[in-house]
Amino acid sequence: MPFVAPGDPSIVASQLADAFATTYAGAPAVVARAPGRVNLIGEHTDYNRGLVLPVALPHATFAAASPRSDGLVRVRSAEHDEPWSGSLEDAADAPGWAAYAAGVLWALREAGVPLSGADVLVHGTVPLGAGLSSSAALECSVAVAACAAVGVDLDRSLVVDACIRAETEVAGAPTGGMDQTVSMLAEAGAALLIDFDAGTTAPVPLPLGPAGLALVVTDTRVSHALVDGGYGERRADCEAAAALLGVPSLRQATLAAVEEIPDQRVRRRARHVVTEVERVRAVVAALGAQDWAAVGARFAESHVSMRDDFEISCPELDLAVDTAVEAGAVGARMTGGGFGGSSIALVPTPRVDAVVRAVDAAFAAAGFAPPQHLLADPGPAAAVL
Ligand code: ADP
Ligand code: MG
């Protein structure tokens, strides 16, 4: 079936180590793997101190790294033509894709990791710019490989913070921290409930296989651009709503208070956040009860909320979601920051083929570019291989 392959970790790692030796003339490297993620539910809630429930994908970025002692950083990617090199200080201003890879080395050094340069080669199987967090996978894989290369014990929360810093300060992309947290702290076979108010995480078992279900991810190939536009505007509306209600964040707001906000756009934005946090709670409870129909119903509500109240969907996402449900999915929704990117569908295993075919046919009939699909079996967190 036409699914994007995650790659066998040990095969990818050994191929990457060989490529590293060729590229950097013989230096032995440490190889680390860090997963992309797909969010089950809880969209635009992270920066509102809310709840999110992401899953680590089996798809990941692999980074090979070896330390240098001369302060030089050299980064290269199999997915990108432009290698970058410069000093560890220059890495704070690295351009383009190197902002993520070299930027995280700078951020690690700022956090006290004894780095004095590194050679890095990366290769990933997470689709780029599909809302599946190839950026966090890149940052985390480089960070974990670099820490191992200089022989420091892996401090996962320090790595999360350094990766967030690279993405916000070096790449200039606002991020709420969900992506880096799940890439570093996920457990195989489970989603990760992250509470951005309490600062806690907890695995939530996701026994898809025993339930006869698959989590199908559809990348619409509509590129989302978090750096400009809608994301910042949504964030500003949420902050305005919290200020108006006199609460530190929308996590503390009640739906009744939100419904009194006079400005109808700000009211709808806030309503999405407050109801979405409740839906995360409801999905966690439904998973505990193995009530998959209830999970699917919350997915449907979440999609409508994002389409109508938060206004971050697009025709391709709506078509992927509606078609998946018509073709037999238990539930479907757009996932990630929106304005393109991916959708998810919870599908009975015997219906997977029909759902994927129906979505492909609907895209062709609508004149949209062909989507691509992934199977999201919840995988493990980042680690050295
Ligand atoms: P997403 O995280 O949803 O995939 P982002 O826009 O946040 O989308 O990040 C995508 C960017 O991250 C790419 O445009 C590129 O700059 C960088 N990136 C991610 N993975 C790689 C990779 N394997 N090689 C080079 N750059 C990468
Ligand atoms: Mg990203």
Side-chain angles (χ1 to χ4, degrees), residues 30 48 55 88 145 152 181-182 221 236 269 279 335 356 361 375:
V30 175
N48 288 299
V55 165
L88 208 43
V152 301
T181 303
V182 65
R221 314 296 282 268
R269 304 293 189 248
R279 284 187 289 271
T335 183
V356 166
L375 286 176

Side-chain angles (χ1 to χ4, degrees), residues 69-83:
S69 53
D70 58 0
L72 190 66
V73 168
R74 298 193 291 179
V75 294
R76 193 178 271 274
S77 166
E79 281 70 52
H80 211 284
D81 290 341
E82 293 280 312

Side-chain angles (χ1 to χ4, degrees), residues 174-263:
T175 170
M178 160 169 63
D179 308 348
Q180 295 80 6
T181 303
V182 65
S183 191
M184 292 307 300
L185 299 177
E187 290 182 17
L192 189 72
L193 178 64
I194 309 173
D195 183 329
F196 284 92
D197 199 36
T200 54
T201 63
V204 175
L206 190 66
L208 294 170
L213 294 167
L215 187 60
V216 177
V217 178
T218 296
D219 167 12
T220 62
R221 314 296 282 268
V222 178
S223 113
H224 73 120
L226 287 186
V227 182
D228 43 33
Y231 182 92
E233 289 168 21
R234 297 305 180 283
R235 227 175 142 140
D237 279 346
C238 292
E239 281 161 17
L244 199 76
L245 298 175
V247 289
S249 74
L250 284 179
R251 179 67 181 276
Q252 285 79 32
T254 63
L255 186 56
V258 163
E259 295 294 3
E260 300 297 318
I261 294 174
D263 183 287

Side-chain angles (χ1 to χ4, degrees), residues 2-5 36-40 55-59 125-127 130-133 206 208 214-221 299 317 320-321 324 329 331-336 340-347 352 355-356 359-360 363 371-378:
F3 293 107
V4 178
R37 63 96 188 97
V38 67
N39 195 18
L40 275 188
V55 165
L57 291 172
H59 305 71
T125 61
V126 184
L132 302 175
S133 207
L206 190 66
L208 294 170
L215 187 60
V216 177
V217 178
T218 296
D219 167 12
T220 62
R221 314 296 282 268
F299 279 15
L317 284 168
V321 165
R333 57 184 285 279
M334 57 154 286
T335 183
S342 298
S343 63
I344 53 171
L346 196 56
V347 184
V352 166
V355 165
V356 166
V359 172
D360 287 349
F363 270 54
Q372 61 180 4
H373 309 277
L374 296 75
L375 286 176
D377 294 322

